[in-house]
Amino acid sequence: VPVDKKDGKYLLVTRHVIDYRRLGTEPGRSVHWSQSELRRWLNDEFYNKVFTDKEKEMICDFSDSELGTTDKVFLLSIEEADMLYGDDLYVLGTDYANHKGFDDEDMGRLVGNTWFHYWMTRTCENDFNYLISGTAQWGGGRYELAGIRPAIWVDASKLSGR
């Protein structure tokens, strides 16, 4: 879903949580986004399995100078999520994510009759990665499971023939 346009590029973010994963792989070990297994997975296995060669040509590098990273696929920062979604941060999971445990009622908030669950950002401070649920930001743990909503920047000029 396009959520922003800047410098001839569109920012696309999944509408739903598509997977349920950890930032790192070792319990109790602090993991920064730049060193995370999740970042490697998004930019290798996920990127190569989900996108065709033609789609990959449209995907732009995204550099986060604060973290010193450059990625094709990334997670929003806490600031980007706030700017783009404001108070509307509730999100549902796909059947796949729910099957992996994303719809566990212990990991979310009940709004009406619907559970909304935590999704991960790339923001990490004081050894904690930040998670979002509804209108709240939550400093998650070092080994927390959370919903994954990948983001990509796409070159708008390469979309004209589609």
Side-chain angles (χ1 to χ4, degrees):
V1 175
V3 294
D4 197 11
K5 184 177 182 184
K6 189 185 312 179
D7 301 325
K9 301 176 198 167
Y10 288 107
L11 175 61
L12 308 179
V13 181
T14 59
R15 181 183 313 267
H16 301 289
V17 163
I18 63 161
D19 207 338
Y20 187 60
R21 292 182 166 261
R22 289 181 169 86
L23 190 63
T25 57
E26 297 178 36
R29 181 173 174 259
S30 174
V31 179
H32 191 274
W33 169 252
S34 65
Q35 309 271 315
S36 73
E37 179 60 33
L38 177 59
R39 177 174 174 246
R40 281 190 289 278
W41 175 79
L42 284 170
N43 284 280
D44 184 18
E45 185 180 336
F46 177 81
Y47 177 76
N48 288 310
K49 199 178 267 190
V50 170
F51 300 107
T52 66
D53 289 340
K54 187 158 182 84
E55 289 168 334
K56 288 177 187 176
E57 291 174 12
M58 294 182 244
I59 298 173
C60 305
D61 285 340
F62 168 74
S63 295
D64 184 325
S65 58
E66 188 175 309
L67 297 177
T69 57
T70 300
D71 299 302
K72 296 287 189 185
V73 185
F74 56 96
L75 301 179
L76 296 177
S77 69
I78 205 84
E79 296 82 12
E80 290 163 341
D82 283 345
M83 180 188 72
L84 296 169
Y85 296 109
D87 289 339
D88 188 19
L89 296 167
Y90 293 107
V91 64
L92 297 172
T94 61
D95 288 342
Y96 178 78
N98 290 339
H99 178 74
K100 288 183 70 176
F102 179 68
D103 62 353
D104 180 348
E105 292 181 1
D106 292 334
M107 288 298 295
R109 296 169 188 252
L110 184 63
V111 178
N113 293 324
T114 305
W115 278 93
F116 294 91
H117 304 279
Y118 299 109
W119 49 281
M120 194 175 300
T121 71
R122 70 177 186 277
T123 303
C124 182
E125 291 179 9
N126 300 322
D127 293 340
F128 290 96
N129 58 299
Y130 277 80
L131 309 178
I132 294 175
S133 181
T135 59
Q137 300 174 10
W138 181 67
R142 296 179 177 132
Y143 196 58
E144 295 290 335
L145 282 163
I148 305 302
R149 294 184 73 192
I152 58 174
W153 280 100
V154 176
D155 185 335
S157 70
K158 294 183 180 179
L159 295 175
S160 59
R162 299 197 95 192

